[in-house]
Amino acid sequence: MILFIAEICDIGWLMIVDEYVKKMYAQRSSVLNLIQILMEVESLRLPLYILLLLFVLTGCSAESADTIIPDELNPNSITLTPVDLTQGEAAKLRPFLGTMSGAFKLRYEGEKPGASLDMDIWENGRKVDSAGSIGDLFFKPEGQIESGTEIEVIISIDTVRTEEQKEICIVKISAGSGLATFTLPWNSELKGRGLIQHTEALTFTTDRPVPAFAMHATSSNQVFAGDFSEDTLSKTEWALVFTVRFEE
């Protein structure tokens, strides 16, 4: 480096530059102040000016890296993995499930989150009510090993007729170590039904709710395929959307 600078200027110029650099650091001058100081040396050669400026900028960058420490900790995350109820061990449950059924696994990374599975009712493209909820999805019974970070959720939806010949909707949910059943009123005019579910694994953070499974129904007998986008949900005449939500 000394040989390189010596080719540009003589020892006298180096002494002048050294004096001004010391002055800048003593006064903790900014880069703009340094430029102003350098411009006062009217006879300073342009190559030396550029070289010194690069040196100062590099030094400032190193100092900034020491004072700004990025947060390398990743937030808690959840991975949702769809389960095919026609394959493997899950296929044994198929005869006991309703006509509209689905399953998925939830696995968390980091601290165990306070998660719930909420049932949201949508009508004419917007959420209008809540049909129920299962809290503390990752709950472990006393005495059970806490090392497991994954649960499987199985949802079964079917409609039945009561003795009064009224049609009702029965929702059964198996989540982790719990089992729940919900009974919902049903509009018999809704003849066509379809499922909305994820087809690939999805990883998300715990700072937002995420729809995991849904059944939609229509009175027009025109069932469409779709996903959980606002565009798809806005087209639903009626839907039961299962949403994973987290405690703040």
Side-chain angles (χ1 to χ4, degrees):
M1 179 63 71
I2 295 177
L3 293 176
F4 176 73
I5 296 176
E7 293 178 359
I8 301 176
C9 57
D10 54 23
I11 300 301
W13 291 113
L14 288 177
M15 294 176 64
I16 294 175
V17 171
D18 181 70
E19 183 69 23
Y20 277 99
V21 170
K22 291 180 179 179
K23 178 180 178 182
M24 181 201 69
Y25 278 102
Q27 298 178 352
R28 297 184 180 275
S29 301
S30 64
V31 176
L32 292 178
N33 290 337
L34 174 62
I35 295 175
Q36 183 177 0
I37 293 172
L38 292 175
M39 292 179 66
E40 293 176 359
V41 185
E42 298 178 356
S43 59
L44 191 63
R45 298 176 183 179
L46 180 60
L48 183 58
Y49 166 79
I50 296 175
L51 178 63
L52 183 58
L53 181 60
L54 292 175
F55 167 77
V56 174
L57 290 176
T58 303
C60 291
S61 299
E63 182 178 358
S64 299
D66 292 336
T67 55
I68 301 176
I69 303 176
D71 184 7
E72 298 180 354
L73 297 177
N74 293 324
N76 289 349
S77 63
I78 304 290
T79 298
L80 183 154
T81 305
V83 174
D84 188 351
L85 290 176
T86 65
Q87 302 293 329
E89 292 294 324
K92 298 178 181 180
L93 302 175
R94 193 65 188 179
F96 306 99
L97 302 177
T99 55
M100 296 281 104
S101 301
F104 54 88
K105 293 182 179 181
L106 294 174
R107 186 184 73 255
Y108 67 86
E109 297 289 341
E111 296 182 0
K112 184 175 73 172
S116 64
L117 184 65
D118 299 342
M119 294 188 296
D120 301 328
I121 296 178
W122 286 60
E123 291 182 0
N124 300 318
R126 63 187 183 90
K127 179 185 172 182
V128 297
D129 201 358
S130 176
S133 177
I134 296 181
D136 201 359
L137 286 177
F138 293 100
F139 169 77
K140 297 291 184 180
E142 186 177 354
Q144 185 171 339
I145 299 177
E146 291 283 344
S147 60
T149 61
E150 184 178 73
I151 62 169
E152 185 175 54
V153 179
I154 302 176
I155 300 173
S156 173
I157 308 173
D158 207 353
T159 56
V160 297
R161 288 191 177 275
T162 64
E163 296 179 356
E164 294 80 12
Q165 295 302 307
K166 290 184 179 181
E167 201 169 12
I168 59 174
C169 179
I170 304 295
V171 180
K172 297 179 181 179
I173 303 175
S174 172
S177 58
L179 177 64
T181 301
F182 299 88
T183 301
L184 310 178
W186 183 257
N187 183 355
S188 58
E189 294 182 359
L190 299 174
K191 302 296 184 181
R193 307 171 196 176
L195 295 178
I196 302 175
Q197 50 192 332
H198 295 284
T199 57
E200 297 180 349
L202 172 68
T203 299
F204 50 91
T205 55
T206 58
D207 58 350
R208 61 187 179 93
V210 175
F213 183 79
M215 182 191 80
H216 68 99
T218 175
S219 59
S220 65
N221 282 332
Q222 295 180 351
V223 179
F224 60 87
D227 52 21
F228 292 101
S229 64
E230 292 185 3
D231 181 63
T232 295
L233 294 178
S234 66
K235 298 176 182 178
T236 57
E237 181 178 349
W238 186 94
L240 184 62
V241 182
F242 297 81
T243 304
V244 180
R245 289 189 172 89
F246 304 94
E247 296 178 358
E248 297 181 358

